[in-house]
Amino acid sequence: MSNEQRTKVWVDSFQTKLTLRIAGYLVLFLFVLFNFLFGWRMWQEGPGNPAEQFVRLLRDYLPVWICLLTLVPVIGWDAIRFTHRLVGPMARFRQTIQDVANGEPVRPIKLRPDDYLTDLRDEVNQMLESLQRRGLHVLKPVDPSSEEDSQRTSA
């Protein structure tokens, strides 16, 4: 496994909050859509047996329900994987800041090629190098075989 791959699916509580928000919007959308379709059917057909109209509504729109049941999990999984591009770098920044605040030496921050916040990574790494040049020992010597780096990269 490459050192640039994350092994965790859920990296931060931000992902939970985003997932709950998206799920809430989806439930609200489906509730409004379903009620609108049912109301539309009742308006078109006039008064009748609501239970029968309801069953016909489900049957008539069966392809839509199947598409939703198929696509929603795929879209959800993609959204979580997409959040890794933001949340993963934030977790690395947070850990680096905590380590520096605790007086522990750190390595320059590395991100995956598709991650966001590469400009911030460059600025933080420049700050760490500047602190190192001023005599504060914040950077660890480079050791490519270090297990700690590969563990931290997988977060």
Side-chain angles (χ1 to χ4, degrees):
M1 179 184 300
S2 168
N3 283 349
E4 294 183 1
Q5 292 180 340
R6 292 192 187 99
T7 56
K8 294 181 183 178
V9 173
W10 229 258
V11 178
D12 193 80
S13 64
F14 171 80
Q15 289 172 298
T16 304
K17 293 173 186 172
L18 180 63
T19 301
L20 291 174
R21 180 171 285 231
I22 291 170
Y25 288 145
L26 178 63
V27 167
L28 179 64
F29 167 74
L30 291 174
F31 179 77
V32 170
L33 175 66
F34 192 77
N35 280 294
F36 177 76
L37 289 173
F38 187 57
W40 186 263
R41 173 154 310 227
M42 292 183 77
W43 179 72
Q44 282 184 324
E45 295 178 359
N49 182 353
E52 184 181 301
Q53 290 173 313
F54 179 77
V55 170
R56 274 199 323 271
L57 173 77
L58 291 177
R59 187 183 61 234
D60 291 347
Y61 289 101
L62 185 61
V64 173
W65 310 130
I66 291 172
C67 284
L68 283 171
L69 288 174
T70 304
L71 289 177
V72 166
V74 172
I75 292 169
W77 178 251
D78 182 62
I80 295 304
R81 297 292 297 170
F82 183 77
T83 61
H84 275 236
R85 294 173 62 190
L86 177 65
V87 175
M90 292 303 293
R92 292 216 181 108
F93 293 135
R94 184 181 302 124
Q95 185 62 51
T96 299
I97 290 168
Q98 289 171 353
D99 289 347
V100 169
N102 291 332
E104 298 174 22
V106 298
R107 299 214 187 283
I109 296 173
K110 290 177 132 184
L111 299 179
R112 298 178 306 173
D114 292 336
D115 281 344
Y116 291 122
L117 303 176
T118 55
D119 292 341
L120 182 60
R121 174 208 54 204
D122 296 342
E123 292 171 11
V124 169
N125 286 340
Q126 286 175 356
M127 177 194 66
L128 293 172
E129 290 170 8
S130 175
L131 290 172
Q132 187 76 16
R133 282 193 303 272
R134 292 180 187 173
L136 298 172
H137 298 289
V138 293
L139 293 175
K140 288 182 182 180
V142 176
D143 180 11
S145 64
S146 173
E147 285 184 33
E148 181 181 342
D149 281 344
S150 59
Q151 288 174 354
R152 182 168 292 167
T153 305
S154 66

